[in-house]
Amino acid sequence: IKTVFWHSSAHVLGAAIENVYGAHLAIGPPLQDGFYYDCYMGKETLSEEDLKKIEASALKVCQAKHKFERLELSKEEALEMFVANPFKINLISNKIGDGQMTSVYRCGPLIDLCMGPHLPSTGKIKAFAATKASATNWLGQVTNDPLQRVYGIAFPEKAMLKKWQEFQEKAKQRDHRNLGMKQELFFFHQLSPGSCFWLPHGTRVYNKLVAFIKNQYWTRGYEEVI
């Protein structure tokens, strides 16, 4: 049920992205904790203000109570329908065999490739948030077109979204990456991106952990290699 709810919400997110920016949509699956939609916007990146605009548009789609309508198309019909979107054309060409049928779902202003199932209508979504955006590439290949990935979360009740946001805030406060820097255990620097620089107090913790691990190696009959 949760997967169906967030899968449907991903379509709402896609509709909002199209409404606000006219971007080419790529793929938009549900996740274990929410959903996302990838879109092509050239060299543009999305800011916090952009996310607010997308969120506002998504809420309008929800309030409009658009039905999710399933349509069956031939491969040729699908290619004609999505002729302006190279990412959908790529999916249709490579995933659908000649002479085979595929399905699309209409949700208000959006028509998207999808196997379903979905909610009866967007009206079942009462709370929606566009949570963050990041950069990615088509099919995860760095040589392919750059995409913007917009993440979202949605719920059937506003109180559930509020509870989720409170949990996220608490998790952020407990984040070891922030706590470690506040306690002056370590820091990160562009001198070596992705590497951790251990400060004196952090080095003591680090050395204690290494000593513990080494002791476990010998206790359990392992030998070390580097």
Tab-separated table of all heavy atoms in Angstrom, residues 162-221:
chain	number	residue	atom	x	y	z
A	162	LYS	N	3.749	16.192	9.403
A	162	LYS	CA	4.324	16.953	10.516
A	162	LYS	C	5.180	16.047	11.399
A	162	LYS	O	6.285	16.417	11.807
A	162	LYS	CB	3.218	17.605	11.341
A	162	LYS	CG	3.739	18.507	12.445
A	162	LYS	CD	2.603	19.176	13.203
A	162	LYS	CE	3.161	20.072	14.321
A	162	LYS	NZ	2.055	20.722	15.080
A	163	LYS	N	4.684	14.851	11.689
A	163	LYS	CA	5.416	13.896	12.505
A	163	LYS	C	6.715	13.483	11.817
A	163	LYS	O	7.766	13.375	12.449
A	163	LYS	CB	4.544	12.665	12.774
A	163	LYS	CG	5.154	11.662	13.729
A	163	LYS	CD	4.184	10.526	14.007
A	163	LYS	CE	4.805	9.510	14.969
A	163	LYS	NZ	3.845	8.392	15.242
A	164	TRP	N	6.651	13.275	10.500
A	164	TRP	CA	7.835	12.902	9.715
A	164	TRP	C	8.866	14.022	9.753
A	164	TRP	O	10.063	13.772	9.914
A	164	TRP	CB	7.428	12.593	8.275
A	164	TRP	CG	8.566	12.198	7.383
A	164	TRP	CD1	9.085	10.951	7.208
A	164	TRP	CD2	9.340	13.072	6.539
A	164	TRP	NE1	10.125	10.986	6.317
A	164	TRP	CE2	10.299	12.276	5.891
A	164	TRP	CE3	9.299	14.435	6.273
A	164	TRP	CZ2	11.221	12.807	4.992
A	164	TRP	CZ3	10.215	14.972	5.385
A	164	TRP	CH2	11.163	14.163	4.743
A	165	GLN	N	8.414	15.261	9.593
A	165	GLN	CA	9.334	16.407	9.609
A	165	GLN	C	10.007	16.552	10.968
A	165	GLN	O	11.207	16.862	11.040
A	165	GLN	CB	8.566	17.682	9.244
A	165	GLN	CG	8.146	17.731	7.786
A	165	GLN	CD	7.204	18.878	7.468
A	165	GLN	OE1	6.418	19.305	8.322
A	165	GLN	NE2	7.264	19.384	6.244
A	166	GLU	N	9.273	16.320	12.039
A	166	GLU	CA	9.851	16.381	13.387
A	166	GLU	C	10.917	15.305	13.569
A	166	GLU	O	11.975	15.550	14.149
A	166	GLU	CB	8.753	16.216	14.437
A	166	GLU	CG	7.817	17.424	14.528
A	166	GLU	CD	6.629	17.167	15.438
A	166	GLU	OE1	6.447	15.992	15.874
A	166	GLU	OE2	5.872	18.122	15.711
A	167	PHE	N	10.643	14.113	13.051
A	167	PHE	CA	11.615	13.023	13.137
A	167	PHE	C	12.879	13.360	12.350
A	167	PHE	O	14.007	13.100	12.803
A	167	PHE	CB	11.006	11.724	12.605
A	167	PHE	CG	11.964	10.564	12.582
A	167	PHE	CD1	12.183	9.822	13.736
A	167	PHE	CD2	12.644	10.221	11.423
A	167	PHE	CE1	13.075	8.758	13.726
A	167	PHE	CE2	13.537	9.165	11.400
A	167	PHE	CZ	13.757	8.422	12.561
A	168	GLN	N	12.714	13.957	11.161
A	168	GLN	CA	13.863	14.334	10.340
A	168	GLN	C	14.732	15.373	11.037
A	168	GLN	O	15.968	15.328	10.961
A	168	GLN	CB	13.391	14.877	8.984
A	168	GLN	CG	12.694	13.865	8.108
A	168	GLN	CD	13.545	12.656	7.786
A	168	GLN	OE1	14.675	12.790	7.320
A	168	GLN	NE2	13.016	11.478	8.036
A	169	GLU	N	14.096	16.311	11.716
A	169	GLU	CA	14.831	17.350	12.430
A	169	GLU	C	15.637	16.748	13.574
A	169	GLU	O	16.799	17.117	13.788
A	169	GLU	CB	13.863	18.401	12.969
A	169	GLU	CG	14.542	19.620	13.566
A	169	GLU	CD	15.471	20.339	12.612
A	169	GLU	OE1	15.145	20.407	11.401
A	169	GLU	OE2	16.537	20.814	13.068
A	170	LYS	N	15.042	15.808	14.300
A	170	LYS	CA	15.760	15.140	15.397
A	170	LYS	C	16.929	14.313	14.858
A	170	LYS	O	18.009	14.275	15.451
A	170	LYS	CB	14.800	14.246	16.186
A	170	LYS	CG	13.792	15.017	17.019
A	170	LYS	CD	12.841	14.081	17.740
A	170	LYS	CE	11.820	14.864	18.561
A	170	LYS	NZ	10.834	13.960	19.224
A	171	ALA	N	16.708	13.648	13.740
A	171	ALA	CA	17.764	12.845	13.125
A	171	ALA	C	18.935	13.728	12.692
A	171	ALA	O	20.102	13.356	12.821
A	171	ALA	CB	17.205	12.072	11.934
A	172	LYS	N	18.603	14.925	12.177
A	172	LYS	CA	19.640	15.867	11.755
A	172	LYS	C	20.487	16.308	12.946
A	172	LYS	O	21.712	16.431	12.850
A	172	LYS	CB	18.987	17.091	11.100
A	172	LYS	CG	19.960	17.998	10.358
A	172	LYS	CD	19.252	19.229	9.815
A	172	LYS	CE	18.184	18.858	8.804
A	172	LYS	NZ	17.539	20.083	8.239
A	173	GLN	N	19.842	16.510	14.083
A	173	GLN	CA	20.561	16.921	15.295
A	173	GLN	C	21.471	15.812	15.815
A	173	GLN	O	22.491	16.081	16.428
A	173	GLN	CB	19.562	17.320	16.380
A	173	GLN	CG	18.779	18.584	16.053
A	173	GLN	CD	17.636	18.830	17.020
A	173	GLN	OE1	17.500	18.130	18.021
A	173	GLN	NE2	16.798	19.825	16.731
A	174	ARG	N	21.084	14.545	15.557
A	174	ARG	CA	21.880	13.397	16.011
A	174	ARG	C	22.900	12.945	14.985
A	174	ARG	O	23.641	11.989	15.223
A	174	ARG	CB	20.957	12.221	16.344
A	174	ARG	CG	20.011	12.456	17.518
A	174	ARG	CD	19.378	11.148	17.960
A	174	ARG	NE	18.629	10.511	16.883
A	174	ARG	CZ	17.322	10.669	16.691
A	174	ARG	NH1	16.612	11.430	17.516
A	174	ARG	NH2	16.698	10.056	15.696
A	175	ASP	N	22.947	13.594	13.848
A	175	ASP	CA	23.836	13.186	12.758
A	175	ASP	C	25.294	13.203	13.222
A	175	ASP	O	25.816	14.235	13.637
A	175	ASP	CB	23.655	14.128	11.564
A	175	ASP	CG	24.335	13.614	10.301
A	175	ASP	OD1	25.409	12.992	10.414
A	175	ASP	OD2	23.794	13.841	9.210
A	176	HIS	N	25.967	12.055	13.148
A	176	HIS	CA	27.350	11.956	13.628
A	176	HIS	C	28.293	12.879	12.870
A	176	HIS	O	29.311	13.320	13.410
A	176	HIS	CB	27.848	10.508	13.521
A	176	HIS	CG	28.023	10.040	12.100
A	176	HIS	ND1	26.982	9.567	11.338
A	176	HIS	CD2	29.116	9.996	11.315
A	176	HIS	CE1	27.436	9.242	10.137
A	176	HIS	NE2	28.717	9.495	10.091
A	177	ARG	N	27.954	13.204	11.620
A	177	ARG	CA	28.834	14.096	10.842
A	177	ARG	C	28.847	15.501	11.432
A	177	ARG	O	29.885	16.174	11.446
A	177	ARG	CB	28.374	14.128	9.385
A	177	ARG	CG	28.594	12.816	8.645
A	177	ARG	CD	27.850	12.749	7.345
A	177	ARG	NE	26.398	12.781	7.568
A	177	ARG	CZ	25.502	12.622	6.593
A	177	ARG	NH1	25.891	12.440	5.350
A	177	ARG	NH2	24.204	12.656	6.872
A	178	ASN	N	27.684	15.945	11.924
A	178	ASN	CA	27.616	17.262	12.565
A	178	ASN	C	28.157	17.219	13.990
A	178	ASN	O	28.893	18.117	14.414
A	178	ASN	CB	26.170	17.759	12.573
A	178	ASN	CG	25.632	18.001	11.177
A	178	ASN	OD1	26.394	18.356	10.288
A	178	ASN	ND2	24.347	17.793	10.980
A	179	LEU	N	27.772	16.170	14.732
A	179	LEU	CA	28.226	16.057	16.124
A	179	LEU	C	29.748	15.956	16.206
A	179	LEU	O	30.374	16.559	17.079
A	179	LEU	CB	27.591	14.823	16.786
A	179	LEU	CG	26.089	14.907	17.067
A	179	LEU	CD1	25.589	13.575	17.593
A	179	LEU	CD2	25.797	16.017	18.077
A	180	GLY	N	30.343	15.185	15.302
A	180	GLY	CA	31.799	15.008	15.317
A	180	GLY	C	32.544	16.307	15.109
A	180	GLY	O	33.590	16.543	15.722
A	181	MET	N	32.009	17.185	14.267
A	181	MET	CA	32.673	18.473	14.032
A	181	MET	C	32.432	19.433	15.192
A	181	MET	O	33.319	20.185	15.572
A	181	MET	CB	32.200	19.065	12.698
A	181	MET	CG	32.805	18.334	11.498
A	181	MET	SD	32.481	19.117	9.897
A	181	MET	CE	30.827	18.501	9.570
A	182	LYS	N	31.223	19.384	15.779
A	182	LYS	CA	30.941	20.227	16.938
A	182	LYS	C	31.835	19.855	18.121
A	182	LYS	O	32.261	20.708	18.899
A	182	LYS	CB	29.474	20.105	17.339
A	182	LYS	CG	28.512	20.828	16.407
A	182	LYS	CD	27.075	20.657	16.873
A	182	LYS	CE	26.108	21.384	15.939
A	182	LYS	NZ	24.691	21.175	16.363
A	183	GLN	N	32.112	18.563	18.263
A	183	GLN	CA	32.950	18.084	19.369
A	183	GLN	C	34.441	18.120	19.026
A	183	GLN	O	35.270	17.632	19.786
A	183	GLN	CB	32.526	16.661	19.743
A	183	GLN	CG	31.124	16.582	20.313
A	183	GLN	CD	30.661	15.151	20.543
A	183	GLN	OE1	31.425	14.202	20.360
A	183	GLN	NE2	29.415	15.000	20.948
A	184	GLU	N	34.737	18.672	17.830
A	184	GLU	CA	36.129	18.830	17.372
A	184	GLU	C	36.858	17.488	17.310
A	184	GLU	O	38.020	17.360	17.720
A	184	GLU	CB	36.884	19.827	18.259
A	184	GLU	CG	36.289	21.231	18.210
A	184	GLU	CD	37.094	22.243	19.006
A	184	GLU	OE1	38.013	21.816	19.738
A	184	GLU	OE2	36.814	23.436	18.883
A	185	LEU	N	36.150	16.481	16.798
A	185	LEU	CA	36.776	15.170	16.596
A	185	LEU	C	37.398	15.073	15.206
A	185	LEU	O	38.442	14.449	15.039
A	185	LEU	CB	35.735	14.058	16.771
A	185	LEU	CG	35.021	13.979	18.124
A	185	LEU	CD1	34.030	12.823	18.128
A	185	LEU	CD2	36.033	13.827	19.251
A	186	PHE	N	36.757	15.685	14.217
A	186	PHE	CA	37.256	15.600	12.843
A	186	PHE	C	36.696	16.754	12.019
A	186	PHE	O	35.821	17.489	12.481
A	186	PHE	CB	36.877	14.263	12.200
A	186	PHE	CG	35.411	13.951	12.251
A	186	PHE	CD1	34.508	14.583	11.409
A	186	PHE	CD2	34.926	13.002	13.137
A	186	PHE	CE1	33.151	14.301	11.450
A	186	PHE	CE2	33.564	12.700	13.175
A	186	PHE	CZ	32.687	13.349	12.328
A	187	PHE	N	37.210	16.911	10.803
A	187	PHE	CA	36.655	17.877	9.858
A	187	PHE	C	36.942	17.403	8.442
A	187	PHE	O	37.728	16.474	8.229
A	187	PHE	CB	37.236	19.290	10.096
A	187	PHE	CG	38.694	19.426	9.761
A	187	PHE	CD1	39.103	19.831	8.494
A	187	PHE	CD2	39.672	19.149	10.715
A	187	PHE	CE1	40.452	19.970	8.182
A	187	PHE	CE2	41.018	19.281	10.418
A	187	PHE	CZ	41.409	19.688	9.149
A	188	PHE	N	36.288	18.025	7.485
A	188	PHE	CA	36.499	17.713	6.072
A	188	PHE	C	36.978	18.974	5.353
A	188	PHE	O	36.673	20.092	5.767
A	188	PHE	CB	35.202	17.202	5.435
A	188	PHE	CG	34.739	15.888	5.995
A	188	PHE	CD1	33.917	15.849	7.113
A	188	PHE	CD2	35.141	14.696	5.418
A	188	PHE	CE1	33.495	14.645	7.641
A	188	PHE	CE2	34.723	13.484	5.934
A	188	PHE	CZ	33.901	13.459	7.049
A	189	HIS	N	37.736	18.787	4.278
A	189	HIS	CA	38.303	19.939	3.567
A	189	HIS	C	38.444	19.593	2.091
A	189	HIS	O	38.687	18.429	1.730
A	189	HIS	CB	39.671	20.292	4.167
A	189	HIS	CG	40.160	21.643	3.757
A	189	HIS	ND1	40.801	21.876	2.557
A	189	HIS	CD2	40.108	22.839	4.397
A	189	HIS	CE1	41.120	23.159	2.471
A	189	HIS	NE2	40.704	23.766	3.569
A	190	GLN	N	38.312	20.618	1.236
A	190	GLN	CA	38.446	20.413	-0.209
A	190	GLN	C	39.854	19.993	-0.621
A	190	GLN	O	40.069	19.540	-1.746
A	190	GLN	CB	38.055	21.694	-0.954
A	190	GLN	CG	36.559	21.953	-0.975
A	190	GLN	CD	35.785	20.797	-1.580
A	190	GLN	OE1	36.093	20.339	-2.677
A	190	GLN	NE2	34.795	20.307	-0.858
A	191	LEU	N	40.812	20.140	0.297
A	191	LEU	CA	42.183	19.677	0.023
A	191	LEU	C	42.176	18.200	-0.346
A	191	LEU	O	42.967	17.757	-1.179
A	191	LEU	CB	43.052	19.905	1.263
A	191	LEU	CG	44.533	19.539	1.132
A	191	LEU	CD1	45.216	20.453	0.126
A	191	LEU	CD2	45.228	19.641	2.487
A	192	SER	N	41.259	17.442	0.276
A	192	SER	CA	41.110	16.019	-0.038
A	192	SER	C	39.637	15.643	0.136
A	192	SER	O	39.257	15.084	1.171
A	192	SER	CB	41.993	15.167	0.877
A	192	SER	OG	41.876	13.797	0.539
A	193	PRO	N	38.801	15.963	-0.842
A	193	PRO	CA	37.354	15.728	-0.723
A	193	PRO	C	37.028	14.273	-0.396
A	193	PRO	O	37.593	13.352	-0.983
A	193	PRO	CB	36.823	16.108	-2.111
A	193	PRO	CG	37.839	17.039	-2.665
A	193	PRO	CD	39.156	16.546	-2.133
A	194	GLY	N	36.139	14.084	0.577
A	194	GLY	CA	35.741	12.737	0.951
A	194	GLY	C	36.614	12.107	2.017
A	194	GLY	O	36.268	11.073	2.578
A	195	SER	N	37.766	12.717	2.306
A	195	SER	CA	38.656	12.187	3.342
A	195	SER	C	38.386	12.897	4.664
A	195	SER	O	38.085	14.088	4.689
A	195	SER	CB	40.126	12.393	2.956
A	195	SER	OG	40.429	11.671	1.784
A	196	CYS	N	38.523	12.161	5.742
A	196	CYS	CA	38.300	12.725	7.073
A	196	CYS	C	39.625	13.118	7.702
A	196	CYS	O	40.575	12.329	7.717
A	196	CYS	CB	37.584	11.686	7.939
A	196	CYS	SG	37.238	12.248	9.603
A	197	PHE	N	39.728	14.345	8.193
A	197	PHE	CA	40.916	14.814	8.919
A	197	PHE	C	40.624	14.700	10.413
A	197	PHE	O	39.734	15.379	10.934
A	197	PHE	CB	41.232	16.271	8.556
A	197	PHE	CG	41.723	16.441	7.144
A	197	PHE	CD1	40.819	16.502	6.091
A	197	PHE	CD2	43.087	16.536	6.868
A	197	PHE	CE1	41.268	16.652	4.789
A	197	PHE	CE2	43.534	16.691	5.563
A	197	PHE	CZ	42.625	16.754	4.519
A	198	TRP	N	41.359	13.822	11.096
A	198	TRP	CA	41.115	13.590	12.518
A	198	TRP	C	41.898	14.575	13.379
A	198	TRP	O	43.113	14.701	13.250
A	198	TRP	CB	41.509	12.159	12.897
A	198	TRP	CG	40.655	11.116	12.226
A	198	TRP	CD1	40.897	10.498	11.031
A	198	TRP	CD2	39.408	10.613	12.701
A	198	TRP	NE1	39.878	9.634	10.734
A	198	TRP	CE2	38.942	9.679	11.740
A	198	TRP	CE3	38.639	10.858	13.831
A	198	TRP	CZ2	37.751	8.988	11.882
A	198	TRP	CZ3	37.449	10.161	13.980
A	198	TRP	CH2	37.008	9.244	13.019
A	199	LEU	N	41.194	15.249	14.268
A	199	LEU	CA	41.814	16.161	15.231
A	199	LEU	C	42.287	15.359	16.453
A	199	LEU	O	41.982	14.165	16.564
A	199	LEU	CB	40.797	17.230	15.639
A	199	LEU	CG	40.419	18.186	14.495
A	199	LEU	CD1	39.166	18.988	14.840
A	199	LEU	CD2	41.566	19.110	14.141
A	200	PRO	N	43.068	15.967	17.365
A	200	PRO	CA	43.653	15.202	18.483
A	200	PRO	C	42.670	14.328	19.259
A	200	PRO	O	42.936	13.138	19.481
A	200	PRO	CB	44.246	16.301	19.366
A	200	PRO	CG	44.642	17.352	18.391
A	200	PRO	CD	43.576	17.352	17.343
A	201	HIS	N	41.538	14.869	19.683
A	201	HIS	CA	40.581	14.057	20.438
A	201	HIS	C	39.980	12.954	19.572
A	201	HIS	O	39.771	11.825	20.042
A	201	HIS	CB	39.467	14.935	21.009
A	201	HIS	CG	39.914	15.823	22.123
A	201	HIS	ND1	40.383	15.324	23.323
A	201	HIS	CD2	39.989	17.168	22.223
A	201	HIS	CE1	40.722	16.321	24.113
A	201	HIS	NE2	40.493	17.464	23.470
A	202	GLY	N	39.718	13.273	18.321
A	202	GLY	CA	39.179	12.277	17.402
A	202	GLY	C	40.188	11.175	17.122
A	202	GLY	O	39.811	10.009	16.963
A	203	THR	N	41.467	11.549	17.063
A	203	THR	CA	42.523	10.562	16.818
A	203	THR	C	42.584	9.532	17.942
A	203	THR	O	42.811	8.343	17.706
A	203	THR	CB	43.878	11.268	16.673
A	203	THR	OG1	43.803	12.187	15.567
A	203	THR	CG2	44.998	10.272	16.406
A	204	ARG	N	42.350	9.978	19.178
A	204	ARG	CA	42.327	9.040	20.309
A	204	ARG	C	41.208	8.014	20.142
A	204	ARG	O	41.405	6.820	20.369
A	204	ARG	CB	42.131	9.813	21.623
A	204	ARG	CG	43.301	10.713	21.988
A	204	ARG	CD	42.989	11.516	23.245
A	204	ARG	NE	43.965	12.587	23.439
A	204	ARG	CZ	43.865	13.509	24.383
A	204	ARG	NH1	42.835	13.481	25.221
A	204	ARG	NH2	44.781	14.448	24.496
A	205	VAL	N	40.032	8.489	19.744
A	205	VAL	CA	38.901	7.587	19.507
A	205	VAL	C	39.234	6.621	18.371
A	205	VAL	O	39.008	5.409	18.465
A	205	VAL	CB	37.624	8.385	19.170
A	205	VAL	CG1	36.472	7.442	18.828
A	205	VAL	CG2	37.233	9.288	20.329
A	206	TYR	N	39.804	7.182	17.293
A	206	TYR	CA	40.170	6.382	16.123
A	206	TYR	C	41.148	5.282	16.505
A	206	TYR	O	40.970	4.106	16.154
A	206	TYR	CB	40.771	7.300	15.057
A	206	TYR	CG	41.238	6.600	13.803
A	206	TYR	CD1	40.383	6.444	12.714
A	206	TYR	CD2	42.537	6.100	13.704
A	206	TYR	CE1	40.814	5.804	11.562
A	206	TYR	CE2	42.966	5.452	12.560
A	206	TYR	CZ	42.108	5.304	11.493
A	206	TYR	OH	42.535	4.667	10.350
A	207	ASN	N	42.197	5.632	17.249
A	207	ASN	CA	43.222	4.657	17.631
A	207	ASN	C	42.656	3.578	18.548
A	207	ASN	O	43.047	2.406	18.462
A	207	ASN	CB	44.401	5.354	18.303
A	207	ASN	CG	45.263	6.116	17.290
A	207	ASN	OD1	45.272	5.782	16.106
A	207	ASN	ND2	45.980	7.119	17.756
A	208	LYS	N	41.734	3.963	19.438
A	208	LYS	CA	41.096	2.988	20.317
A	208	LYS	C	40.308	1.964	19.497
A	208	LYS	O	40.340	0.754	19.778
A	208	LYS	CB	40.162	3.698	21.297
A	208	LYS	CG	40.849	4.415	22.449
A	208	LYS	CD	41.323	3.411	23.498
A	208	LYS	CE	41.879	4.133	24.722
A	208	LYS	NZ	42.356	3.157	25.750
A	209	LEU	N	39.592	2.460	18.489
A	209	LEU	CA	38.808	1.564	17.642
A	209	LEU	C	39.700	0.635	16.828
A	209	LEU	O	39.415	-0.557	16.694
A	209	LEU	CB	37.912	2.386	16.703
A	209	LEU	CG	36.742	3.122	17.363
A	209	LEU	CD1	36.074	4.057	16.367
A	209	LEU	CD2	35.725	2.136	17.910
A	210	VAL	N	40.787	1.171	16.293
A	210	VAL	CA	41.723	0.348	15.521
A	210	VAL	C	42.321	-0.738	16.411
A	210	VAL	O	42.449	-1.905	16.015
A	210	VAL	CB	42.835	1.216	14.904
A	210	VAL	CG1	43.947	0.337	14.319
A	210	VAL	CG2	42.256	2.118	13.813
A	211	ALA	N	42.711	-0.368	17.651
A	211	ALA	CA	43.287	-1.342	18.591
A	211	ALA	C	42.275	-2.448	18.902
A	211	ALA	O	42.619	-3.635	18.973
A	211	ALA	CB	43.711	-0.637	19.873
A	212	PHE	N	41.003	-2.064	19.081
A	212	PHE	CA	39.961	-3.047	19.356
A	212	PHE	C	39.801	-4.015	18.182
A	212	PHE	O	39.704	-5.234	18.358
A	212	PHE	CB	38.635	-2.324	19.624
A	212	PHE	CG	37.453	-3.245	19.716
A	212	PHE	CD1	37.215	-3.990	20.868
A	212	PHE	CD2	36.577	-3.382	18.644
A	212	PHE	CE1	36.131	-4.850	20.949
A	212	PHE	CE2	35.491	-4.234	18.723
A	212	PHE	CZ	35.274	-4.978	19.873
A	213	ILE	N	39.775	-3.453	16.966
A	213	ILE	CA	39.617	-4.289	15.770
A	213	ILE	C	40.791	-5.244	15.619
A	213	ILE	O	40.618	-6.436	15.338
A	213	ILE	CB	39.467	-3.399	14.510
A	213	ILE	CG1	38.138	-2.634	14.570
A	213	ILE	CG2	39.524	-4.240	13.235
A	213	ILE	CD1	37.994	-1.556	13.522
A	214	LYS	N	42.019	-4.754	15.823
A	214	LYS	CA	43.210	-5.606	15.719
A	214	LYS	C	43.138	-6.761	16.715
A	214	LYS	O	43.465	-7.908	16.395
A	214	LYS	CB	44.472	-4.775	15.964
A	214	LYS	CG	44.882	-3.880	14.798
A	214	LYS	CD	46.105	-3.056	15.188
A	214	LYS	CE	46.609	-2.222	14.018
A	214	LYS	NZ	47.254	-3.062	12.987
A	215	ASN	N	42.714	-6.456	17.926
A	215	ASN	CA	42.601	-7.490	18.957
A	215	ASN	C	41.577	-8.555	18.544
A	215	ASN	O	41.790	-9.753	18.764
A	215	ASN	CB	42.181	-6.856	20.280
A	215	ASN	CG	42.082	-7.870	21.396
A	215	ASN	OD1	43.078	-8.508	21.764
A	215	ASN	ND2	40.893	-8.037	21.945
A	216	GLN	N	40.473	-8.103	17.925
A	216	GLN	CA	39.455	-9.047	17.468
A	216	GLN	C	39.969	-9.934	16.341
A	216	GLN	O	39.614	-11.119	16.257
A	216	GLN	CB	38.205	-8.279	17.018
A	216	GLN	CG	37.428	-7.619	18.147
A	216	GLN	CD	36.882	-8.632	19.135
A	216	GLN	OE1	36.225	-9.594	18.746
A	216	GLN	NE2	37.181	-8.448	20.410
A	217	TYR	N	40.796	-9.366	15.469
A	217	TYR	CA	41.396	-10.168	14.401
A	217	TYR	C	42.129	-11.378	14.992
A	217	TYR	O	41.931	-12.521	14.591
A	217	TYR	CB	42.396	-9.336	13.591
A	217	TYR	CG	41.793	-8.327	12.642
A	217	TYR	CD1	42.563	-7.256	12.176
A	217	TYR	CD2	40.487	-8.437	12.179
A	217	TYR	CE1	42.035	-6.324	11.298
A	217	TYR	CE2	39.956	-7.509	11.314
A	217	TYR	CZ	40.731	-6.449	10.873
A	217	TYR	OH	40.218	-5.528	10.004
A	218	TRP	N	43.016	-11.096	15.958
A	218	TRP	CA	43.853	-12.163	16.545
A	218	TRP	C	43.008	-13.114	17.375
A	218	TRP	O	43.194	-14.325	17.348
A	218	TRP	CB	44.972	-11.548	17.391
A	218	TRP	CG	45.984	-10.818	16.555
A	218	TRP	CD1	46.161	-9.479	16.452
A	218	TRP	CD2	46.925	-11.412	15.653
A	218	TRP	NE1	47.152	-9.186	15.548
A	218	TRP	CE2	47.647	-10.351	15.048
A	218	TRP	CE3	47.241	-12.720	15.303
A	218	TRP	CZ2	48.659	-10.570	14.112
A	218	TRP	CZ3	48.251	-12.949	14.382
A	218	TRP	CH2	48.947	-11.871	13.791
A	219	THR	N	42.045	-12.582	18.129
A	219	THR	CA	41.171	-13.427	18.957
A	219	THR	C	40.386	-14.414	18.100
A	219	THR	O	40.186	-15.573	18.495
A	219	THR	CB	40.187	-12.543	19.755
A	219	THR	OG1	40.934	-11.673	20.604
A	219	THR	CG2	39.236	-13.392	20.599
A	220	ARG	N	39.986	-13.965	16.922
A	220	ARG	CA	39.145	-14.794	16.058
A	220	ARG	C	39.945	-15.580	15.018
A	220	ARG	O	39.384	-16.205	14.112
A	220	ARG	CB	38.094	-13.918	15.366
A	220	ARG	CG	37.140	-13.253	16.350
A	220	ARG	CD	36.295	-12.169	15.711
A	220	ARG	NE	35.520	-11.449	16.695
A	220	ARG	CZ	34.291	-11.781	17.070
A	220	ARG	NH1	33.702	-12.829	16.539
A	220	ARG	NH2	33.651	-11.071	17.994
A	221	GLY	N	41.292	-15.535	15.126
A	221	GLY	CA	42.122	-16.363	14.284
A	221	GLY	C	42.408	-15.823	12.887
A	221	GLY	O	42.798	-16.564	11.991
